[in-house]
């Protein structure tokens, strides 16, 4: 299966690298700067499961090659609209598009632009970053990638993808209720990234403060209430399960981006939920505070 990974950053570089390591036919769609860097250094990945280096195939948006069978999107949300334009020449009649971005609204946009049937669900649970030399640093032990038909069906194409992913040295796991898994992840990441960026701290430090646990609980409950009002398929009590799963050392990629002085995905993650809150007339005070914190940060960083 010919696979195009869009973006060779933390997520795309890691999972694309794992597929390449297994011998799959992977190409990365990159921009000029990253292309040059990859040509000079190769794709280098550091992980507790073993470091490895590869020579990746790359293309630019202006190159013309035949359509790919599978396109995995792994840009940040603020680059997503441009990335959709850039992949257009590489989408053929049978191309399947799998996004790995945090959030949900990009799924609707992909369906709008490329039609419902081309899009499948995807999410990943990983702590990863890219350093100034372009090396992908995998932190911790989790490297899970879930995917599946949004309808939950076990189609021929999803079985082909499963076959392609099998034997990869990361947890590529088909999920026949991917929509629910994506909403669960959306709830989790909105809460986790919101709290960690609000207090510029990992969860452990926040929990130690007098009101820390209460605030975390209120944030997760508020987010879950918005998602339920939208009638999205989340389980009863999932917010409490997620609160119990928060470990001391847990941070978020959004906190890491903020610590680097980079852009954050505030509009895509918290902002979209606030729009849903407004639609359902939910006050969402905690989310408004979190969003305002992120927008204040964005406005104070040059070039964002
Ligand atoms: N990092 C993590 O631990 C996790 C991240 N996520 C989510 O995954 C998504 C990706 O995050 P992450 O990998 O951390 O982000 P990174 O910034 O590390 O990587 C994104 C990459 O996309 C590239 N890019 C942007 N626009 C284009 C384009 N038009 N064509 C080709 N490449 C492009 C950037 O390239 P360039 O070098 O040119 O800027 C960059 O290398 C986000 O939605 C994030 O929330 C989910 C789980 C964990
Ligand atoms: C849930 C978590 C923390 C790990 O996948 C994440 O998605 C992120 O850091 O963006």
């Amino acid at each position: 299966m010919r696979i195009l990974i869009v973006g060779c950053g933390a997520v795309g570089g890691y999972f694309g690298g794992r597929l390449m390591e297994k011998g799959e036919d992977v190409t990365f769609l990159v921009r000029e700067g990253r292309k040059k860097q990859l040509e000079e250094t190769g794709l280098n990945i550091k992980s507790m499961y073993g470091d490895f280096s590869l020579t990746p195939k790359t293309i630019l948006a202006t190159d013309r090659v035949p359509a790919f069978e599978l396109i995995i999107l792994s840009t940040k949300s603020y680059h997503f609209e441009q990335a959709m334009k850039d992949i257009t020449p590489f989408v053929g009649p049978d191309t399947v598009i799998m996004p790995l971005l945090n959030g949900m609204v990009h799924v609707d946009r992909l369906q709008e632009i490329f039609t419902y049937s081309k899009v499948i669900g995807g999410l990943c649970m990983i702590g990863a970053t890219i350093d100034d030399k372009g090396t992908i640093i995998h932190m911790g032990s989790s490297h899970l990638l879930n995917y599946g038909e949004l309808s939950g069906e076990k189609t021929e194409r999803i079985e082909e993808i499963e076959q392609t992913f099998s034997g990869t040295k990361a947890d590529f796991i088909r999920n026949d209720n991917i929509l629910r898994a994506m909403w669960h992840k959306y709830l989790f990441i909105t809460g986790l990234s919101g709290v960690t960026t609000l207090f510029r701290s990992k969860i452990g430090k926040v929990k130690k403060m007098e009101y820390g646990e209460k605030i975390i609980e209120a944030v997760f409950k508020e987010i879950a209430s918005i998602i339920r009002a939208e009638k999205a398929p989340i389980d009863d009590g999932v917010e409490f399960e997620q609160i119990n799963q928060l470990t001391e050392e847990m941070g978020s990629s959004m906190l890491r981006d903020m610590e680097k002085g980079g852009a954050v995905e505030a509009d895509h993650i918290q902002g979209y939920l606030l729009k849903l809150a407004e639609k359902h007339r939910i006050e969402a005070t905690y989310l408004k505070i979190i969003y305002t914190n992120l927008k204040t940060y964005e406005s104070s960083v040059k070039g964002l």
Side-chain angles (χ1 to χ4, degrees):
M1 180 172 278
R2 288 178 64 249
I3 304 171
L4 181 69
I5 312 267
V6 186
C8 189
V11 164
Y14 186 79
F15 289 108
R18 286 291 178 197
L19 287 166
M20 266 189 83
E21 176 192 43
K22 186 207 152 191
E24 290 302 330
D25 184 358
V26 174
T27 302
F28 291 90
L29 174 63
V30 290
R31 301 190 289 192
E32 290 280 0
R34 184 67 172 133
K35 184 175 173 71
K36 198 159 168 275
Q37 190 177 48
L38 286 167
E39 280 164 3
E40 280 166 15
T41 64
L43 173 58
N44 300 305
I45 297 172
K46 288 197 169 160
S47 164
M48 66 174 280
Y49 300 112
D51 301 346
F52 59 108
S53 296
L54 306 153
T55 306
K57 273 196 280 186
T58 60
I59 54 169
L60 295 171
T62 47
D63 291 336
R64 287 298 163 259
V65 296
F68 289 83
E69 288 160 282
L70 175 64
I71 298 185
I72 301 181
L73 274 168
S74 58
T75 67
K76 294 284 198 197
S77 58
Y78 41 84
H79 291 141
F80 171 71
E81 286 292 326
Q82 183 59 44
M84 279 203 302
K85 288 188 187 130
D86 292 349
I87 63 170
T88 305
F90 311 118
V91 177
D94 298 321
T95 301
V96 177
I97 303 173
M98 177 199 297
L100 290 180
L101 285 76
N102 275 325
M104 280 308 291
V105 65
H106 57 271
V107 176
D108 296 341
R109 284 291 291 145
L110 283 169
Q111 289 171 341
E112 225 170 275
I113 303 295
F114 297 105
T115 71
Y116 180 89
S117 64
K118 283 203 160 41
V119 186
I120 63 169
L123 66 85
C124 61
M125 290 297 226
I126 187 169
T129 192
I130 182 162
D131 72 11
D132 51 6
K133 292 193 181 71
T135 301
I136 313 291
I137 316 287
H138 173 214
M139 294 163 292
S141 57
S142 175
H143 56 175
L144 170 72
L145 187 155
N146 272 161
Y147 61 95
E149 293 286 0
L150 290 162
S151 64
E153 283 165 281
K154 200 171 163 189
T155 56
E156 213 172 285
R157 70 179 186 177
I158 214 74
E159 284 179 335
E160 267 173 51
I161 293 171
E162 188 170 26
Q163 195 58 41
T164 303
F165 286 170
S166 76
T168 307
K169 284 195 206 151
D171 302 323
F172 285 70
I173 299 177
R174 197 188 82 222
N175 184 324
D176 292 335
N177 205 338
I178 191 71
L179 205 54
R180 183 184 59 185
M182 288 171 79
W183 277 103
H184 282 178
K185 165 95 199 263
Y186 188 27
L187 161 55
F188 186 65
I189 196 60
T190 309
L192 179 64
S193 65
V195 168
T196 52
T197 52
L198 184 60
F199 299 109
R200 305 281 203 279
S201 297
K202 290 188 176 172
I203 284 295
K205 240 184 177 179
V206 182
K207 273 190 172 174
K208 282 199 187 92
M209 298 300 128
E210 189 175 354
Y211 305 111
E213 298 214 31
K214 283 247 169 303
I215 292 174
I216 293 171
E217 188 180 320
V219 167
F220 275 73
K221 276 167 73 177
E222 186 178 277
I223 297 166
S225 74
I226 301 168
I227 296 176
R228 288 202 179 92
E230 182 64 9
K231 299 206 182 331
I234 59 168
D235 290 345
D236 291 344
V238 65
E239 62 274 41
F240 299 104
E241 275 169 37
Q242 293 189 347
I243 292 167
N244 288 334
Q245 281 160 13
L246 292 172
T247 61
E248 307 269 302
E249 271 313 296
M250 240 175 221
S252 61
S253 56
M254 195 185 273
L255 175 63
R256 286 192 291 277
D257 291 334
M258 201 181 230
E259 286 169 345
K260 284 188 194 170
V264 289
E265 298 174 297
D267 289 316
H268 190 73
I269 299 183
Q270 284 81 9
Y272 176 64
L273 269 186
L274 274 173
K275 282 192 187 150
L276 295 184
E278 207 171 305
K279 175 174 147 194
H280 298 293
R281 296 174 198 276
I282 295 172
E283 188 48 39
T285 308
Y286 288 98
L287 207 49
K288 280 182 189 153
I289 295 170
I290 285 168
Y291 181 70
T292 305
N293 170 57
L294 292 168
K295 297 307 278 183
T296 310
Y297 159 79
E298 279 184 347
S299 72
S300 64
V301 177
K302 264 198 194 147
L304 290 190

